[in-house]
Amino acid sequence: MTDRYAVIGNPIAHSKSPQIHQMFAEQTGEDIRYEAIESPPDGFAATIERLREAGYKGCNVTVPFKFNAFKIATELSERARAAEAVNTLSFAGDTILGDNTDGAGLVRDIEQNLGISLQDKKVLLMGAGGASYGVVLPLLTAGAALSIANRTPERAVELAKKFASSSVRGGGYADLTGSQFDVIINATSAGLTDSKIPLPASPLFPKGGQGGIFAQGSLAYDMMYGRETPFMAFARANGAAIVVDGLGMLIEQAAEAFYIWRGVRPETAPVIAALRA
Ligand code: ATR
């Protein structure tokens, strides 16, 4: 019997998840069906109930329901607890297991696909909303020395405080003047409105080489995908060595969900190549 899965969001029509999971299934020979389901804003719990009754094995959850999914889960992984959000649900009897694969997807894209170890790297995470919550624990687990900066500094301080770790601190963008980072990750929603993030520019670049916020050989990573954001343009103009969007993260978080459900890890490189094309 074909096992059924879905991604639930609102809106959901443009989700790439069905296509990604279809490719994973073909590649691994897993017999699954995966569809996109739009839930009414106030109908998430009812949608989940309907899927469980129909025998679905699990689902992915995206905007704006990740916190609803966190609440509805009867069991949570450690990384979902830290994220205070769930993007992957697994149904088994009365149990609804909630997990969050976003941070693992980000770390895997950086470490495996881009070949950059995060161990002891100075990492700047920009933003203190849901997207940032999802990735802090996996970044710390990967050994990063993490600074979180946010337009509203208190939110970054509050997020950093949740982790009993000396490797994470939070503040505002003004605090960053004079600092350099090996990896700068944009987890803000500024790109959606084409707004700039108030990062300190590099006065010496390109004439005098480095000197700004991007350390030599640094990576600029935008969690958004599909187009060049103002942050990506800023990174190119201010000395980042590598500038990437979040397509790899999208596919890696899907692969991690597929692995949770099926116990098989799909190869992501051909899927990333196909979606880039
Ligand atoms: P989400 O859950 O999608 O992350 P959110 O909780 O509204 O949404 O968080 C959006 C993040 O992007 C916040 O960190 C926000 O900064 P504030 O906390 O100060 O609002 C950040 N953000 C949005 N637009 C921005 C902009 N133009 N410049 C800098 N940061 C921005």
Side-chain angles (χ1 to χ4, degrees):
M1 255 229 342
T2 305
D3 288 337
R4 300 182 71 177
Y5 300 88
V7 58
I8 302 172
N10 189 340
I12 201 66
H14 297 292
S15 171
K16 294 193 191 303
S17 292
Q19 194 189 346
I20 294 169
H21 282 276
Q22 181 66 40
M23 284 191 248
F24 289 164
E26 278 164 17
Q27 185 201 107
T28 58
E30 292 290 305
D31 185 14
I32 70 158
R33 225 175 93 189
Y34 187 109
E35 71 214 87
I37 295 177
E38 185 172 290
S39 167
D42 57 355
F44 180 74
T47 302
I48 293 297
E49 219 23 65
R50 180 169 72 72
L51 296 189
R52 291 178 65 207
E53 273 166 21
Y56 282 66
K57 300 287 185 194
C59 63
N60 285 129
V61 180
T62 186
V63 179
F65 299 121
K66 290 186 187 184
F67 188 66
N68 303 67
F70 175 70
K71 286 291 179 196
I72 219 170
T74 59
E75 285 175 27
L76 289 166
S77 67
E78 190 194 358
R79 58 196 184 183
R81 214 179 292 274
E84 297 177 24
V86 157
N87 78 337
T88 305
L89 291 170
S90 306
F91 308 138
D94 287 338
T95 304
I96 304 177
L97 178 62
D99 204 338
N100 191 312
T101 65
D102 286 330
L106 173 69
V107 168
R108 239 188 135 78
D109 194 34
I110 293 174
E111 295 205 310
Q112 310 292 320
N113 300 339
L114 302 172
I116 298 167
S117 165
L118 288 166
Q119 186 68 49
D120 299 323
K121 291 289 165 60
K122 286 188 71 184
V123 176
L124 172 62
L125 178 65
M126 302 190 298
S132 288
Y133 269 73
V135 301
V136 173
L137 181 63
L139 287 171
L140 289 174
T141 305
L146 189 60
S147 297
I148 306 170
N150 196 43
R151 182 174 59 181
T152 314
E154 304 79 58
R155 289 185 80 193
V157 172
E158 187 188 324
L159 174 53
K161 265 201 209 142
K162 290 182 184 279
F163 298 87
S165 164
S166 56
S167 301
V168 56
R169 62 194 176 87
Y173 292 106
D175 306 333
L176 299 175
T177 306
S179 302
Q180 286 205 318
F181 296 92
D182 305 304
V183 178
I184 301 189
I185 301 163
N186 182 16
T188 75
S189 53
L192 292 174
T193 52
D194 263 328
S195 346
K196 285 193 177 133
I197 299 164
L199 276 175
S202 305
L204 302 177
F205 190 83
K207 264 203 206 122
Q210 303 296 315
I213 196 153
F214 294 96
Q216 192 144 25
S218 62
L219 165 69
Y221 195 105
D222 203 312
M223 285 197 199
M224 272 192 45
Y225 62 86
R227 71 192 161 85
E228 178 96 351
T229 62
F231 165 66
M232 292 167 77
F234 175 89
R236 286 184 214 285
N238 285 273
I242 308 163
V243 180
V244 292
D245 71 4
L247 184 71
M249 174 180 174
L250 173 79
I251 292 163
E252 292 297 342
Q253 64 76 28
E256 185 76 12
F258 192 90
Y259 177 72
I260 290 169
W261 292 328
R262 311 302 300 178
V264 185
R265 202 171 270 291
E267 271 193 52
T268 50
V271 180
I272 294 174
L275 265 80
R276 285 250 181 253

